[in-house]
């Protein structure tokens, strides 16, 4: 009588990172309502998000928007987005 014992390895992958899903460029019409949540999705757990911009939706021009997201483990992502108001 014989017994075969095989080992079982279990690999668990935890998504401990941060993802910023957003376009590289956003085009708005002058005076158009602009809500960041319509364009940007942040994925991860326990995240602090910071936005900085110089956007004036009432004046035509090209502006910049920077999104920074950091989780409680110190993983940081940053995305720069060009915003054009026409």
């Amino acid at each position: 009588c014989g017994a075969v014992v095989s080992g079982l390895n279990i690999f668990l992958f935890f998504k401990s990172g941060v993802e910023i899903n957003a376009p590289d460029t956003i085009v708005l019409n002058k005076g158009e309502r602009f809500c960041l949540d319509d364009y940007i999705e942040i994925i991860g757990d326990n995240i602090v998000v910071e936005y900085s911009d110089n956007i004036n939706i009432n004046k035509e021009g090209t502006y910049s928007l920077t999104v920074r997201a950091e989780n409680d483990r110190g993983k940081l992502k940053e995305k720069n987005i060009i915003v054009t108001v026409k």
Side-chain angles (χ1 to χ4, degrees), residues 9-20:
N9 293 321
I10 300 174
F11 296 97
L12 298 175
F13 295 94
F14 295 98
K15 209 168 192 179
S16 62
V18 176
E19 293 297 323
I20 299 173

Side-chain angles (χ1 to χ4, degrees), residues 15-86:
K15 209 168 192 179
S16 62
V18 176
E19 293 297 323
I20 299 173
N21 293 333
D24 294 328
T25 304
I26 298 171
V27 178
L28 303 171
N29 292 316
K30 184 177 170 183
E32 181 180 353
R33 178 186 155 278
F34 178 52
C35 180
L36 293 171
D37 293 339
D38 292 341
Y39 298 91
I40 300 167
E41 178 185 22
I42 308 295
I43 300 171
D45 293 322
N46 300 318
I47 296 175
V48 174
V49 179
E50 295 177 15
Y51 300 97
S52 61
D53 68 76
N54 62 348
I55 302 168
N56 182 346
I57 60 169
N58 294 311
K59 184 176 180 185
E60 293 178 353
T62 301
Y63 302 95
S64 63
L65 167 63
T66 301
V67 182
R68 291 183 52 148
E70 183 174 3
N71 70 11
D72 59 352
R73 293 183 182 104
K75 300 282 185 180
L76 174 68
K77 270 289 174 127
E78 184 172 290
K79 172 115 181 164
N80 295 306
I81 302 167
I82 302 297
V83 179
T84 301
V85 177
K86 60 179 188 164

